[in-house]
Amino acid sequence: MLVTRIIGSCPQCQTQNSFGNVSIHSNALTRGCGSCSYSQTFLLPELKKTIVYLDQSFLSHAFREELDEFKTCADFIRQIAHDQLLVCPRSSTHKTETMQWRDSRRENLWEFIKRTSRGHEFAPEYRIKQEQILCAFRRFLANDKGAFPIQISDALSHDVNQWEDYFTVEVETVKEDPELTRKAKEDTTSRLPGLFDAWRKHSRAFEEHLLFEYASAAEIYINSFARMATRMKNGDLTALIDSPIDSQIVEVMIRELDEDTDAVASFQKIPDFFKSSFFREVPVEYISCGIVTVLRDCVKMGQYSNPNKAKERLSGFFFDLNYISAYAPYCDAMYIDNEMHQFAKDKRLRISDKFGTKFFSKSNMDEFSTYLESIHTQKNEKLLDAIEMVYPKSTMGAKA
C-alpha cells in the first residue's frame, strides 16, 4: 500500500520508517505499512464546515500580495481551512475571469485559486438554476406550498463536511475563448446606460418592477425553448448544440408533465407555473430579479447618471449577478465587491434573512476578519488531536 505520511516503524513487522497514514475516507483515517499488510483504522470527529465564497477580486489581491489586509486575511483562511473548519469552493466564474487576465501570471493565479479551494468546486451556475426550477415545477404540480428546499447537493457534488484526503482529482473543463468572453462582457456593460435611460422614464413602484423582472425571466426561458423547437421542427438539428443553455429548462420541464392528460391542458401548466409564486420563490430567480430591481431603483433615484462612470462601476455586474444568485443560498458567507454588496444587503430583498448568508466586501473588511475569527474559535482539543494525526507536521514523505 502507498503510505502518504510516514510517521515511524511498523508495529507488526518492525520495519523502520514504513508505517504511517495511507488515506482518509469519510470520517476515518487508515494507517498502514509499506512493507507488510498491517493496517489500523481510526474514527475522526464529525465536522461542520463553514462555506465561504471568495470573489475574484479577493483572490486576485491575495495572490498578488500587494495589500497586507488581503494577504493576512488569505493566510488566516488557509489556516482555518487546514483545521477543517471552513471551505472556499471555486466556481466556473473564477476560471472565466482568470482566463481574461492579460498578465503572464494568469496560470499561476488559477493554480492559487485551486489550492485555496482545496479541491472543492461549485456546480456550474446553469446546472443549479435548472435543478432549482425543476424542483419548483414539481412542487407546483403537486401544489406543495412548503418552504423551498435548499439541497446542498445541487451546488456541491461532494460532502464538504468530510475530512479532506491527501489527493484530489482535477477534471479539466472545455477551454473558453477569453477574448470572446471579454467582448461579450464589454458589449453587455456598454448597453447598460441605454437601459438606464428607459428605466428612468418608468414610474412603477419597487414591487411592480420586481414582478416585471420575474415576467422577463420567464419570457426568456419560454422564447429560448420556442426558438430551439422551431429550428428542430424545420430540420435544423444543430439547434441541439448551439441553442442557449436556458432553452433546455422548458424542455426538461415538459418531461415532468403527465402524458395521460389532455396535451393542451398539460402544456398550459408551464406558463401557469412561470406566473405563479412557485417560480418567484426559486432562489436563483428571487436573488437575481431582486438585485436587478434594486439597481433599477438606484437608477430611478438618480444614481449612475454618468454613463462612463456607470460602465466602470458596473463592469462586472452580470458576472457577479450570476454567481451570487446561484451560490448565495448554499454559502454561509460571501465576499463580494462593494457595489454588489450594497445591492445584496438591501433590506427589501431580505437575502440574508431568507438564506442565512452573510455578505462582506472591502467596505467591511474588519467585520469579515471578525467573522473568520469566530470560526477559528470553534477549534477544540479533540479536533486539534485529530488534525495532528491526519496531517502530521513532521513526516518523511510517501513510501510504497
Side-chain angles (χ1 to χ4, degrees), residues 59-71:
L59 291 165
S60 296
H61 280 302
F63 169 73
R64 290 195 292 264
E65 297 187 345
E66 294 170 354
L67 297 174
D68 288 341
E69 60 182 339
F70 285 98
K71 182 181 182 303

Side-chain angles (χ1 to χ4, degrees), residues 213-231:
E213 290 300 329
Y214 283 124
S216 298
E219 186 177 9
I220 289 172
Y221 296 133
I222 293 172
N223 290 346
S224 294
F225 172 75
R227 285 192 292 269
M228 181 183 72
T230 300
R231 288 176 60 190

Side-chain angles (χ1 to χ4, degrees), residues 1-4 20-24 29-33 165-167:
M1 64 182 73
L2 176 64
V3 182
T4 58
N21 297 354
V22 175
S23 65
I24 307 161
L29 166 67
T30 299
R31 282 181 170 174
C33 178
D165 204 349
Y166 303 116
F167 304 102

Side-chain angles (χ1 to χ4, degrees), residues 189 192-194 196-197 200 304-313:
T189 305
L192 280 176
F196 291 174
D197 290 340
R200 292 186 185 98
Y304 306 105
S305 57
N306 184 306
N308 292 328
K309 289 184 178 179
K311 285 190 287 186
E312 181 180 346
R313 289 174 62 184

Side-chain angles (χ1 to χ4, degrees), residues 247-303:
S247 64
Q248 298 176 11
I249 288 177
V250 172
E251 180 185 8
V252 173
M253 291 169 62
I254 290 173
R255 298 174 196 161
E256 298 293 317
L257 297 174
D258 189 349
E259 296 179 358
D260 297 330
T261 59
D262 176 71
V264 175
S266 186
F267 274 98
Q268 182 58 40
K269 291 177 181 178
I270 291 177
D272 288 348
F273 162 73
F274 281 122
K275 295 174 185 176
S276 74
S277 61
F278 288 92
F279 176 63
R280 295 194 294 273
E281 289 183 359
V282 172
V284 69
E285 303 300 338
Y286 180 92
I287 296 172
S288 61
C289 291
I291 288 178
V292 171
T293 304
V294 172
L295 175 60
R296 273 179 172 269
D297 203 52
C298 291
V299 171
K300 283 179 59 180
M301 297 296 290
Q303 296 184 44

